Amino acid sequence: MKQKAVPGSPFQMGRGLSIAVLILALCLVTCARPDETWSRVSETGILRVGMDASFPPFEYIAADGDVAGFDVDLARELGRRLGLEVQFVANLPYDGLYDALAVQRVDVVISALVVNPARMADFAYSASYFDAGQVLVLRTGEDGDAEAEAEIEGMMDLSGHTLAVEFGTQGDLEARKWARRLPDLTVVPCQTTGDAVAMVAAGEADGALVDHVSALAATGKDDRLIVVGEAVVGAPYAVAMRRESQRLLQAINRALAEMERDGTMKALRAKWLEGR
């Protein structure tokens, strides 16, 4: 015989909860803002990419008048994987990139743009495709072995060592913080990032704390130099779009993950950042 539900019984409460969850789910689906950007790019087959083409090697105007650089190749590869033609809007000032997104002049921004948490109420960011923050550069052993890397794996291992930095940079500020934690750490300020890395190459400093772009350029020219560990101070670059462009965001994140897995991203870094 079927049991009658008693008011307030676990059966009735559980049923009521299930109905409430179902109503909430339906509300979220029906009330969610549609991804107009995805609808438009799917219909037109065109992805409009905004950038400030004045920041080589990520984006710049080449001698032939066309745009070139890491971000340009990245955008074209994303377009290829999404089955979209990429149309560049490359004459935007850096401080106007978000405005171009807001007024729908462009669909995405790919322009060495650092993720800004203060902007997340209105804009969405893809997974980071490059971290331009401060990294630790060391010198390998004379025979090219990883002797230095084995001894120093991060900032915590720099006690009793010498660290070169470019004076006044984020690396300089971070190194001074570490010097207060590690009394035996000696920080040597240099005029340029190149000077700081050159000290490491010459054996005059045990390491250098410099931006990732400069570090990769240096290691690309000198096989004795290596980048150790993750970024000490992060500055993640990502693709930006309007907050409601969630389907486009998902598609771009899938493509970026594929590019990381199949070596495409590594090849882009080697071409544009390491000069290989």
Side-chain angles (χ1 to χ4, degrees), residues 12 37 86 179 181 185 187 228 230:
Q12 191 172 44
T37 305
V86 173
R181 297 174 61 183
L185 170 61
V187 178
V228 174
E230 302 295 328

Side-chain angles (χ1 to χ4, degrees), residues 22-57:
L22 179 60
I23 293 174
L24 177 60
L26 289 172
C27 181
L28 289 175
V29 171
T30 56
C31 297
R33 299 177 66 180
D35 187 347
E36 296 177 359
T37 305
W38 180 256
S39 298
R40 194 201 64 77
V41 298
S42 298
E43 182 179 346
T44 64
I46 296 174
L47 180 69
R48 299 171 300 170
V49 177
M51 63 174 50
D52 172 11
S54 62
F55 188 55

